[in-house]
Amino acid sequence: MHLISTGLLGALPVATLSLLGGSLAVSPVQAAQCPATRFVYEPGDFDPVPGQKVEARADKFTADGDLVTLEGNTTIRYQGRQLAAENASYNPGTGEVSVNGALSFLGEGFRLESNEAYIDIDDDQFSTGESDYELDINGKRASGTAAAMAREPDGHFTMQDATYSTCPPGDESWFVKADSIDLDTEQGVGFARDLRLVFKGVPLLALPAFSFPISDKRKSGFLAPVLARGDSTGLELHLPWYWNIRPDLDATFTPRFMTKRGTQLQSELRYMNRQGLWTLDHEYLNDRELDGDSRYFTQLLHNGSFTPDLTSTIVARRVSDKDYLEDLGDSLQVASITHLEQRADLNYEHDGSRVLTRLQSFQTVDEDIEPEDRPHRRLPQVKAYAKSGRLPLGFRSDVDGEFVYFDKDDAVTGTRIDIRPRLSLPIVRDAWFFKPSVSHRFTYYSLNNTSLNNTTEQLERTNSRNLDSFSVDSGLFFDRVLDERGSVQTLEPRLFYLKVPYRDQSDIPVFDSSEFDFNISQLFRENRFSGADRIADANQFSMALTTRMIDGVNGQERFRASIGQVRYFDDRLVTLSSTDTVDTRDYSDFVGEVETALTKDWNGKGSIQWNPDEERTVRSSLSLSYRPQKDRILNFTHRVVNSDSDEDKTEQIDLSGLWALGSSWRVASRWNYSLDADRSIESLLGLEYDSCCWAVRFAARRYIADDGEDHDTSIYFQLVLKGLAPLGQNYGALLENAILGYRDDVQ
């Protein structure tokens, strides 16, 4: 009927979910696994139409004044709703319907079965006796019971002795039960008394009274607790509390109780304004392990925009001590951080032109890094790029420039201005391209503290550098048809010549330059150094060959392989420092890459850098992936680095996988092992059981600590009652970071 609407019945699941900080959302996996609900709604039989009259049918009608009594196989339809009972009475004048006995009420997305009901269509009121309900709203399914339901004259919706579960009707694996629930649909707030969460007959949570939101409006309250364990922290309990301060401002406070280190307070403050979202995170702890020393971590994040072309970003992090992330973080990636960045960006981009204004600083977390090896601050940095349209005779031009002031304690500081205009003549045809380019680069330095230079070279307070460069990039495209489906194999030779004269740059400090790793893309780069402090001299010719196989039906690239090398006509005299060795080889290392979709289930990728003079592999990686289904994944990776620095040399294997065992069980694992050090870097084993309406997930993870000697062990446990907030640590995020191709779809 009109009064028993989707919104009214939908308030019950939203209410119970909100008690644990959850939402009504049910994952697609759940919708696919759960058995079909017992009811089917066919809207075409009685679509709601504005002003539609009530339609009543029965075996027998008896009229007594304004009261109509319906007897035998009674059906009443109104605005897309249907009431079915054995007997009912209806007053067309007042819109009142009453049923004394069993009834079934069906509407879009819900079904209600009760033993009695009173409905006032005109005044939007109703009451029922003992009832069972089922929901199926956009594939989100739930069921429950109530000893009584009512819509009161004040608009409140009340339920007595009510339950809710996303399990199929009759399955009591888990449910939420409350002695009474009062829902204020106008304010979007509900209140429950004596609420219990029961799983497998075991109460997990009990609250004497609780208020909660029943709409999309946010409401202050406790969120799902987290249980965890780590070698450095011991057993952990997290109790997050959410504070809805106002529509554009909220906060979450989380006491983190650790048996080894005491109580840490974590806080997150979020503010949304016209420029975007601002997030301030802060953690504070008086560490019991360190005799009560104060330790903290603070982070400010912002992403926003003033206009579609003008955007802003802020990333600012600071930590109390170098061991904080290792002791209190929960991952190898966090524990191995050496610098924390503080950065504010203002970025403008329009029609291919770009301007970036940046303030950037760093906190060096690893105090073992020598002061001279720590990065400079950029206070400020302004980078700009602009390009022209098509010029006469097909010429194109562009220019990029940079202004930056480098600052650092007890070191050379100063201003750098770098400008590089370029003129090119790209000629592109279907089977070939030819692109000659000329450019000029002007760099100016104004330096301070030149007496603090760590090299033997004397630095001038002002210095400048002018360099011209010339390059020609060219390539051919050959192809042949492989089969009747139109599949094509291509052969793409590419030649690149680069000429840059030598300039002595030993009197220029190195603020932010470093040498790129050598790979395929490096063959066609105009400078082997990043930054503007070093411009590499070059008289070289790069040669590369690429072949592709393209499917004729869907256009997918099934296979791609490239190989290349550089021929040097002169020695490379420019180095980062005066102690670096000049490269005198006539030919570079060979570099190659390959990527293939072997079948629809197998994918492979590999790269190699081979030194023909020493007949050794400098770098290589090989990855194979097998994915016949989304819950069956196997990954294998082998990496080798044989650099000149012993610290960087390594050979590792990385194995990871996810495999379904039957319809409900899945096992996940990862093993990252260093062959040269003969030790495990990271190992993980996870096991999960996923049923129709709940899941339990367990993982044990052991990873090498930041000191490179010890290992930390973490235990993860998560109980997912689908439709509620998960209880425990974020198992899905752990596996998404550890296993390539894993996606967490259990909610």
Side-chain angles (χ1 to χ4, degrees):
M1 306 298 286
H2 176 67
L3 300 182
I4 308 180
S5 66
T6 301
L8 294 177
L9 290 181
L12 172 61
V14 174
T16 50
L17 293 180
S18 300
L19 296 174
L20 293 178
S23 66
L24 187 58
V26 180
S27 69
V29 171
Q30 176 189 346
Q33 292 180 345
C34 282
T37 52
R38 293 179 297 179
F39 68 95
V40 178
Y41 176 79
E42 299 291 348
D45 293 342
F46 46 101
D47 290 337
V49 177
Q52 184 183 44
K53 295 182 178 180
V54 176
E55 176 186 331
R57 296 180 181 180
D59 293 339
K60 182 180 179 180
F61 289 84
T62 303
D64 183 6
D66 291 336
L67 184 64
V68 178
T69 302
L70 300 88
E71 301 179 59
N73 298 319
T74 298
T75 301
I76 300 176
R77 292 181 175 179
Y78 179 78
Q79 289 296 330
R81 297 159 180 84
Q82 175 178 283
L83 171 67
E86 187 63 27
N87 301 287
S89 61
Y90 172 54
N91 189 328
T94 62
E96 297 177 353
V97 177
S98 63
V99 178
N100 187 9
L103 65 94
S104 176
F105 194 92
L106 181 65
E108 184 177 7
F110 70 90
R111 179 181 180 180
L112 176 68
E113 292 185 353
S114 183
N115 60 0
E116 60 182 23
Y118 165 80
I119 303 168
D120 188 334
I121 296 174
D122 296 335
D123 292 338
D124 200 16
Q125 299 175 28
F126 78 96
S127 63
T128 71
E130 186 174 345
S131 305
D132 295 336
Y133 70 84
E134 299 175 51
L135 300 174
D136 188 357
I137 304 173
N138 298 324
K140 304 168 186 177
R141 301 175 178 176
S143 63
T145 63
M149 298 182 180
R151 168 84 179 201
E152 305 293 349
D154 61 2
H156 285 219
F157 181 72
T158 62
M159 291 180 288
Q160 306 298 321
D161 198 17
T163 67
Y164 164 81
S165 176
T166 58
C167 295
D171 185 343
E172 296 186 348
S173 295
W174 74 267
F175 59 88
V176 174
K177 184 178 180 63
D179 279 3
S180 66
I181 298 177
D182 184 351
L183 308 177
D184 186 342
T185 56
E186 182 177 349
Q187 298 296 324
V189 177
F191 188 82
R193 294 184 182 278
D194 195 11
L195 181 139
R196 287 91 67 198
L197 171 62
V198 180
F199 174 69
K200 292 295 183 179
V202 178
L204 298 182
L205 178 68
L207 297 171
F210 208 87
S211 63
F212 46 86
I214 58 174
S215 66
D216 293 337
K217 299 177 182 178
R218 300 172 309 193
K219 188 181 185 304
S220 302
F222 283 98
L223 305 180
V226 174
L227 294 172
R229 184 200 172 278
D231 279 354
S232 178
T233 59
L235 293 176
E236 298 184 31
L237 173 63
H238 303 221
L239 294 176
W241 184 75
Y242 174 77
W243 183 17
N244 181 32
I245 303 172
R246 61 179 195 235
D248 59 353
L249 182 66
D250 63 10
T252 303
F253 300 98
T254 306
R256 178 187 183 188
F257 304 99
M258 297 171 284
T259 57
K260 288 187 176 181
R261 297 189 178 272
T263 301
Q264 178 191 59
L265 179 61
Q266 302 175 341
S267 61
E268 179 188 63
L269 182 69
R270 300 188 303 174
Y271 173 61
M272 175 72 76
N273 64 4
R274 290 181 298 175
Q275 280 70 49
L277 177 64
W278 302 75
T279 303
L280 176 63
D281 297 306
H282 183 70
E283 301 174 359
Y284 183 82
L285 167 72
N286 288 325
D287 198 331
R288 183 188 303 157
E289 284 279 292
L290 301 178
D291 298 325
D293 285 356
S294 297
R295 309 181 74 185
Y296 67 86
F297 170 78
T298 302
Q299 173 178 263
L300 175 65
L301 302 175
H302 163 70
N303 280 290
S305 61
F306 296 90
T307 69
D309 298 332
L310 186 62
T311 60
S312 56
T313 302
I314 295 177
V315 178
R317 301 182 176 98
R318 192 159 189 86
V319 71
S320 59
D321 57 89
K322 70 182 185 68
D323 296 322
Y324 183 94
L325 298 176
E326 179 185 351
D327 293 342
L328 299 168
D330 60 357
S331 70
L332 175 63
Q333 291 80 9
V334 170
S336 59
I337 291 175
T338 57
H339 299 88
L340 291 178
E341 183 184 30
Q342 294 97 43
R343 171 171 54 87
D345 290 349
L346 189 63
N347 189 67
Y348 176 80
E349 186 169 353
H350 182 74
D351 290 340
S353 299
R354 302 185 298 271
V355 178
L356 170 66
T357 302
R358 170 175 291 172
L359 300 174
Q360 186 180 41
S361 181
F362 298 90
Q363 178 191 6
T364 300
V365 178
D366 187 354
E367 296 180 358
D368 294 332
I369 298 177
E370 297 297 330
E372 60 268 20
D373 295 328
R374 300 180 183 185
H376 280 74
R377 297 180 288 269
R378 295 181 173 97
L379 303 172
Q381 179 185 28
V382 180
K383 299 182 69 174
Y385 171 81
K387 65 179 180 180
S388 71
R390 186 178 180 88
L391 301 175
L393 303 178
F395 283 96
R396 299 293 180 105
S397 66
D398 62 80
V399 59
D400 56 47
E402 178 190 42
F403 169 88
V404 57
Y405 181 81
F406 292 99
D407 189 41
K408 185 178 177 181
D409 296 335
D410 300 324
V412 178
T413 64
T415 300
R416 183 182 71 197
I417 299 174
D418 183 57
I419 301 174
R420 190 220 61 186
R422 179 203 306 270
L423 183 67
S424 62
L425 180 62
I427 304 173
V428 180
R429 300 294 182 265
D430 291 341
W432 58 275
F433 72 91
F434 182 80
K435 182 182 177 181
S437 300
V438 293
S439 65
H440 177 79
R441 192 159 189 172
F442 168 75
T443 311
Y444 172 81
Y445 290 85
S446 177
L447 303 177
N448 307 312
N449 303 330
T450 55
S451 60
L452 297 178
N453 181 36
N454 292 318
T455 68
T456 57
E457 301 293 336
Q458 180 62 41
L459 300 181
E460 301 291 337
R461 293 189 62 85
T462 60
N463 200 351
S464 63
R465 178 186 60 203
N466 287 273
L467 276 173
D468 298 314
S469 66
F470 171 73
S471 66
V472 178
D473 194 4
S474 62
L476 297 171
F477 302 97
F478 301 97
D479 61 73
R480 61 168 183 159
V481 178
L482 295 177
D483 52 38
E484 297 179 353
R485 303 169 56 197
S487 299
V488 174
Q489 179 185 10
T490 69
L491 194 64
E492 306 167 24
R494 183 177 177 182
L495 305 175
F496 179 77
Y497 176 74
L498 176 65
K499 175 64 176 178
V500 182
Y502 168 73
R503 291 289 185 275
D504 182 7
Q505 300 167 50
S506 59
D507 57 348
I508 295 176
V510 178
F511 288 127
D512 62 356
S513 285
S514 61
E515 192 163 5
F516 289 112
D517 290 336
F518 191 62
N519 51 36
I520 285 288
S521 63
Q522 184 65 21
L523 298 176
F524 311 103
R525 196 186 298 272
E526 294 188 358
N527 190 11
R528 63 178 181 271
F529 300 106
S530 64
D533 297 322
R534 292 293 183 269
I535 306 300
D537 57 315
N539 184 16
Q540 62 190 52
F541 189 69
S542 300
M543 302 160 284
L545 183 64
T546 299
T547 182
R548 310 172 198 264
M549 293 185 181
I550 302 172
D551 191 285
V553 175
N554 54 28
Q556 181 179 353
E557 186 178 272
R558 294 292 184 184
F559 177 83
R560 183 182 76 249
S562 300
I563 189 171
Q565 190 183 36
V566 181
R567 169 70 166 94
Y568 299 113
F569 300 106
D570 295 321
D571 296 340
R572 275 72 64 215
L573 303 177
V574 177
T575 58
L576 282 175
S577 69
S578 58
T579 60
D580 291 343
T581 304
V582 172
D583 191 348
T584 60
R585 296 171 60 191
D586 293 334
Y587 289 92
S588 73
D589 295 340
F590 281 105
V591 286
E593 293 180 353
V594 62
E595 186 171 354
T596 178
L598 300 172
T599 67
K600 66 181 183 65
D601 300 332
W602 283 93
N603 289 277
K605 181 185 294 186
S607 65
I608 189 171
Q609 178 183 345
W610 170 260
N611 186 322
D613 297 332
E614 301 178 6
E615 296 186 350
R616 67 179 179 92
T617 299
V618 180
R619 296 175 183 269
S620 71
S621 68
L622 175 65
S623 300
L624 290 175
S625 178
Y626 176 63
R627 302 180 192 176
Q629 300 171 185
K630 66 177 182 179
D631 57 358
R632 293 192 173 184
I633 301 171
L634 295 176
N635 299 311
F636 168 80
T637 301
H638 177 263
R639 292 182 291 268
V640 173
V641 177
N642 286 324
S643 64
D644 295 332
S645 172
D646 292 336
E647 295 181 356
D648 296 333
K649 289 184 178 180
T650 185
E651 181 178 6
Q652 299 178 11
I653 58 172
D654 197 335
L655 307 175
S656 64
L658 172 75
W659 205 260
L661 306 175
S663 60
S664 299
W665 289 91
R666 297 199 303 182
V667 61
S669 64
R670 183 191 183 190
W671 185 41
N672 186 196
Y673 188 80
S674 173
L675 296 172
D676 57 299
D678 192 21
R679 66 181 312 185
S680 175
I681 298 174
E682 180 181 18
S683 55
L684 179 147
L685 180 63
L687 184 66
E688 60 182 286
Y689 174 81
D690 185 13
S691 76
C692 168
C693 58
W694 63 276
V696 61
R697 313 159 93 182
F698 172 83
R701 181 167 175 261
R702 189 169 184 264
Y703 57 94
I704 197 167
D706 186 43
D707 58 11
E709 300 296 332
D710 301 324
H711 283 80
D712 287 340
T713 302
S714 297
I715 303 297
Y716 294 77
F717 178 81
Q718 187 179 59
L719 175 63
V720 182
L721 306 180
K722 298 182 179 179
L724 298 183
L727 301 174
Q729 289 177 285
N730 196 334
Y731 175 93
L734 171 69
L735 263 62
E736 285 182 349
N737 290 328
I739 301 174
L740 181 65
Y742 178 90
R743 293 294 179 268
D744 183 22
D745 51 15
V746 178
Q747 300 178 7

